[in-house]
Amino acid sequence: MFELKEECGVFGLYSQRAADLARLAYYGLFALQHRGQESCGISVNDHGVFTTHTGNGLVNDVFTADILESLGKGNISVGHVRYGTRGTIGLVNAQPVVVNHIKGRMAVAYNGRIVNACELREKFELAGSIFHSSGDAEAIAHVVTSARIRTSSIESAVGEAMDELKGAYSMILMSPAKLVACRDPYGIRPLCIGKTAEGIWVVSSESCGIDAVGGTFVRDVEPGEIVVFDSDGMRSIRTHCGSTKSALCVFEYIYFARPDSVIDGCAVQAARIKAGELLAETYPVEADVVVGVPDSGLDAAVGYSRKSGIAYGVGFIKNKYIGRTFIAPEQATREGKVRIKLNPVSVTVSGKRVVLIDDSIVRGTTSARIVRLLREAGAKEVHMRVTAPPFINACYYGTDISETDALIARDHKLEDIAGIIGADSLGYLKRNQVGIIAEGCKLKGFCTACFDGYYPTEKPERIFVNKYDKKINEGRS
Ligand code: SF4
């Protein structure tokens, strides 16, 4: 299936005393699993000695009790979950990336995408550097470590690196003595700080990661901010803050983030409910039941139901146990895969006029299958409502929508799309409604480039593709 997918989640810990940080990082990554299921990794720092384990697959599969034990105790840790959108599927691109450099060791984990990664990589390769992977994290490591030669601290090197890195990045770095977190000046990907009752600092892509380790949310990392954790506590470097208008990815609220997370002051669940309410106001319809496509459509369906007065129903059961090791059916039996992953609840929809809420329509094939499932389960009418505007442009900031020719809304009118997916009516969130779904969000601007083409950064001139790599979508359906 061609779906909208997030690239990564990052998690970091700093403790004044040695503690079982591997286990805490495991819990944090477990909570961030929705942001990436391809590979994961944890690096633990015990007074400058880094012990790292990475593996392909889910956090629960990669980190057995023995492996967590082998990572030992430490006072700093960095973790990562990855959904590879660039480079290969495979261990070579797993993070954290750990490097040795002239002033010590460093581990890097990041979420986002560097739009000038190709140029940076070429610059280093022409100077004789060797790359082991095809991901951006290694390019970031080169930029930071080369800046580290000139600077007196890791945080100064990160500041210099931020001048060179263009694009979306929420990253966590670990030096022998410090944990450093930073967010690109647009704040495209989220990043927040928490603290446990034992005084351990936590940095996480989403607040659900802080909750998972029993921590208390402290605040979000601001766009452009560098936050340093060391023996003196936490301090902030704000030289890159306010240099540009913020551009948080609005899809974090619509689809990527977990509904129990709060991003930049707005609860994800509240944003989804609001989107559903707006759809009910904008596209009212006579119907008997509102159902959402799990997971992100569920809260929006609640919003649509509340605003319209139409009953809410559980229209689908999603099989939660399909992991990356699931053996996808051959082309001829792809229909079966949808049924295994998602099954309609006929008692909810049979003989009814159904409002169906989903977060996006990308290529249209998935939506068509879902509408067909409802009809096969006895739905009399299916009125589809989408909590995002039509997707018409590529995303260069860490999702796997990089080819515009696959986007159904680029070449088809709304009425045509309704016909193609088999819906009786179709309504997308309007572009001018996107900015109002995240009530209470402290950031003033959102990235909406995939809907309107206004990219907050320059677009990449080239996308790095290693011709010897196995292509990212090989083996995916
Ligand atoms: S282009 Fe779309 S998916 Fe990509 S960062 Fe911007 S809003 Fe998010």
Side-chain angles (χ1 to χ4, degrees), residues 128-342:
S129 298
I130 292 168
F131 282 74
H132 298 279
S133 71
S134 46
D136 292 355
E138 208 180 353
I140 292 172
H142 275 280
V143 176
V144 175
T145 53
S146 69
R148 186 71 184 88
I149 296 167
R150 306 182 292 274
T151 54
S152 58
S153 67
I154 182 75
E155 57 270 31
S156 303
V158 170
E160 283 203 12
M162 287 174 76
D163 294 331
E164 280 199 68
L165 298 170
K166 313 283 179 225
Y169 52 88
S170 279
M171 62 180 165
I172 305 180
L173 302 93
M174 179 170 78
S175 76
K178 295 174 186 171
L179 184 79
V180 180
C182 75
R183 195 171 172 192
D184 69 74
Y186 304 93
I188 296 174
R189 296 283 156 228
L191 195 63
C192 58
I193 304 166
K195 201 172 188 183
T196 70
E198 296 76 31
I200 299 171
W201 289 104
V202 186
V203 183
S204 175
S205 285
E206 292 180 36
S207 60
C208 65
I210 298 170
D211 298 339
V213 295
T216 304
F217 176 84
V218 174
R219 67 176 178 85
D220 294 283
V221 176
E222 287 180 39
E225 187 182 12
I226 301 168
V227 186
V228 185
F229 303 87
D230 61 14
S231 55
D232 295 328
M234 178 181 90
R235 66 182 182 283
S236 166
I237 300 166
R238 303 172 50 80
T239 43
H240 291 76
C241 294
S243 58
T244 186
K245 198 168 165 256
S246 62
L248 171 66
C249 169
V250 78
F251 253 100
E252 292 287 347
Y253 290 115
I254 294 170
Y255 173 74
F256 296 139
R258 243 172 64 162
D260 52 337
S261 286
V262 178
I263 296 176
D264 291 309
C266 173
V268 172
Q269 186 181 55
R272 289 183 189 163
I273 289 173
K274 176 77 180 173
E277 289 173 352
L278 288 168
L279 286 170
E281 281 171 11
T282 315
Y283 306 101
V285 64
E286 292 282 323
D288 305 305
V289 67
V290 186
V291 303
V293 178
D295 295 309
S296 47
L298 299 178
D299 293 318
V302 169
Y304 195 102
S305 168
R306 279 185 197 164
K307 190 55 103 182
S308 64
I310 302 168
Y312 171 82
V314 176
F316 295 96
I317 296 299
K318 182 179 170 184
N319 190 321
K320 299 183 179 75
Y321 308 103
I322 291 184
R324 66 184 293 282
T325 50
F326 176 73
I327 299 158
E330 295 303 314
Q331 185 70 37
T333 51
R334 287 259 164 91
E335 277 316 287
K337 186 181 178 189
V338 177
R339 281 230 178 231
I340 292 162
K341 205 171 159 184
L342 204 63

Side-chain angles (χ1 to χ4, degrees), residues 38-39 56 82 88-94 324:
E38 205 79 61
S39 64
N56 286 325
R82 179 172 194 267
T88 59
I89 302 170
L91 201 52
V92 71
N93 284 308
R324 66 184 293 282

Side-chain angles (χ1 to χ4, degrees), residues 188-189 249-251 256 391 394-397 399 447-450 455:
I188 296 174
R189 296 283 156 228
C249 169
V250 78
F251 253 100
F256 296 139
F391 216 143
C395 171
Y396 303 113
Y397 306 122
T399 72
C447 175
T448 51
C450 47
Y455 291 92

Side-chain angles (χ1 to χ4, degrees), residues 47-84:
H47 296 97
V49 178
F50 290 18
T51 309
T52 304
H53 182 80
T54 57
N56 286 325
L58 301 175
V59 176
N60 203 27
D61 297 329
V62 170
F63 290 97
T64 61
D66 287 349
I67 286 172
L68 285 177
E69 190 69 32
S70 72
L71 288 172
K73 291 199 161 101
N75 74 316
I76 316 178
S77 179
V78 177
H80 189 265
V81 286
R82 179 172 194 267
Y83 178 87

Side-chain angles (χ1 to χ4, degrees), residues 248 253 263-267 435 437-446:
L248 171 66
Y253 290 115
I263 296 176
D264 291 309
C266 173
I437 63 167
E439 284 174 335
C441 178
K442 292 182 198 138
L443 302 190
K444 294 289 167 260
F446 296 106

